[in-house]
Amino acid sequence: MDTRLIETRREEIATEIAELKGRLKTLQSELDELAIVERVINRLTGSPVSTTPTEPEKPGTKPTIRQMIKAALMDARQRGVPGLLPKDIRAFIKTTYGQEIGQQVNTTASRMWHELKEIEKDQATGAFFLPKEKPADDTTVESPSTGFDRNQEPGREAGQGGAP
């Protein structure tokens, strides 16, 4: 029996599978992008956010609580909000992901701040925020740089090797 026919057909099938996987990946990316756009438009227009998933959920695709907290804080940063209280993070997670998390937000956010140093916390208000987003006050204004931008003499630049 001639096995070349079988080998040829197997190669054709493998090529077709590879093409279909590429097409599936492209379609999945587009579907994910459309879901993001829909959430943004709904948030900006004040329309209720649909909590029904657009596709069956695969194991391992559900974001972790840490990822959802970071997403809430990133959203707050983009909207110009200096930080979020745990109740506001819970509300974001409920409207965005359709999940009721409860007090787990408090413990996870506290661990992310205190132990993991992934986020920061305003001790006075209890609001969490992404690093470098703390509202500035008069005592946190930095002095001007005293680095390499100084010239020895006005109108004269440093020579070769940094010598004047």
Side-chain angles (χ1 to χ4, degrees), residues 48-140:
V49 178
S50 170
T51 58
T52 57
T54 57
E55 65 182 64
E57 205 167 292
K58 300 176 216 160
T61 60
K62 186 170 121 178
T64 65
I65 299 213
R66 286 175 47 205
Q67 290 170 331
M68 290 188 280
I69 290 171
K70 285 182 180 179
L73 297 177
M74 179 61 74
D75 178 70
R77 173 187 280 178
Q78 291 171 346
R79 291 183 293 120
V81 176
L84 293 177
L85 295 171
K87 68 177 185 167
D88 300 322
I89 296 172
R90 279 192 297 277
F92 175 87
I93 291 171
K94 182 177 180 184
T95 58
T96 304
Y97 299 100
Q99 295 183 20
E100 296 260 359
I101 301 275
Q103 294 300 315
Q104 195 171 4
V105 166
N106 296 41
T107 56
T108 303
S110 292
R111 186 170 41 84
M112 290 171 71
W113 162 64
H114 192 262
E115 296 172 14
L116 303 174
K117 310 287 189 228
E118 293 178 336
I119 61 176
E120 295 182 15
K121 181 178 181 180
D122 183 342
Q123 294 281 1
T125 64
F128 292 99
F129 51 93
L130 294 174
K132 300 178 184 174
E133 281 298 308
K134 189 173 182 179
D137 58 14
D138 293 337
T139 61
T140 61

Side-chain angles (χ1 to χ4, degrees), residues 8-76:
T8 303
R9 182 64 184 144
R10 289 180 76 177
E11 289 174 3
E12 289 172 353
I13 291 173
T15 302
E16 190 173 347
I17 288 173
E19 290 171 358
L20 289 172
K21 283 183 179 179
R23 178 80 174 126
L24 183 62
K25 185 177 180 181
T26 302
L27 290 172
Q28 183 63 51
S29 293
E30 185 177 353
L31 188 61
D32 294 342
E33 290 170 355
L34 289 171
I36 292 168
V37 169
E38 181 181 30
R39 284 196 312 266
V40 170
I41 289 172
N42 286 340
R43 185 175 54 232
L44 293 175
T45 61
S47 300
V49 178
S50 170
T51 58
T52 57
T54 57
E55 65 182 64
E57 205 167 292
K58 300 176 216 160
T61 60
K62 186 170 121 178
T64 65
I65 299 213
R66 286 175 47 205
Q67 290 170 331
M68 290 188 280
I69 290 171
K70 285 182 180 179
L73 297 177
M74 179 61 74
D75 178 70

